[in-house]
Amino acid sequence: MSIEELIRQQGSIHPFEATRGEIKKAMGIARRDLTLAEKLLEENFDWCFAIAYNAVLQACRAYMFHSGYRPASAEAHKATFEFMQAVMEEPFKKSISYFDRARTKRHRTLYNDAGLISEKEAEEFLSYIESKLKER
């Protein structure tokens, strides 16, 4: 899906002129959440996963802002990952798909299925996020 389709057909993203401060703020939240997720790894795997997911979401939002867009309020998480699929080069598209799948798992973990995330999955998710944030 292209950016034009996301704007016109779906209305899921909008042009947006972010300030440097808004971009820095989103990245600051991403760093904060990644640090907190690492601390929670010893206490609660579900929350570790959810907060690590939020770190990825905030980093993607910062990239959107930098690119001149923002997600619509309806289904903002989904729209963020659709945008990232549209703009990222091929090696990163696989990672974006992975994070989009994590979006649905995070939803289940928060609202339906406590204890869904294993220690191994939480550790692997954190490691993967850290490596991808360093790449980009």
Side-chain angles (χ1 to χ4, degrees):
M1 189 168 296
S2 71
I3 291 176
E4 292 77 25
E5 290 172 314
L6 292 171
I7 293 171
R8 287 191 199 110
Q9 291 178 358
Q10 292 190 331
S12 59
I13 68 170
H14 303 290
F16 178 64
E17 289 189 38
T19 66
R20 179 171 276 189
E22 288 169 315
I23 297 166
K24 288 176 97 173
K25 183 177 177 181
M27 282 307 299
I29 293 170
R31 288 184 191 98
R32 176 205 67 190
D33 286 354
L34 190 56
T35 299
L36 181 57
E38 289 170 345
K39 290 177 184 175
L40 283 176
L41 185 58
E42 300 298 318
E43 297 177 35
N44 187 298
F45 308 130
D46 289 347
W47 277 109
C48 171
F49 187 92
I51 293 170
Y53 162 85
N54 199 63
V56 170
L57 178 68
Q58 293 301 324
C60 291
R61 285 173 45 87
Y63 190 86
M64 280 185 85
F65 293 169
H66 173 75
S67 300
Y69 298 94
R70 68 173 174 79
S73 57
E75 296 188 334
H77 294 214
K78 182 179 177 184
T80 300
F81 292 116
E82 287 175 338
F83 171 84
M84 295 300 289
Q85 277 292 354
V87 300
M88 297 305 287
E89 52 273 2
E90 198 54 47
F92 289 99
K93 289 184 185 257
K94 186 176 180 182
S95 297
I96 299 303
S97 293
Y98 173 71
F99 293 134
D100 191 42
R101 287 190 306 276
R103 173 182 62 82
T104 60
K105 191 157 197 176
R106 171 223 165 246
H107 183 86
R108 286 180 45 215
T109 296
L110 289 181
Y111 302 110
N112 300 327
D113 298 318
L116 185 65
I117 308 297
S118 69
E119 179 177 9
K120 181 180 178 185
E121 184 172 21
E123 286 173 349
E124 288 175 354
F125 190 58
L126 274 174
S127 294
Y128 189 75
I129 291 168
E130 288 168 344
S131 71
K132 292 302 167 190
L133 288 176
K134 287 177 185 173
E135 282 180 28
R136 198 66 176 146

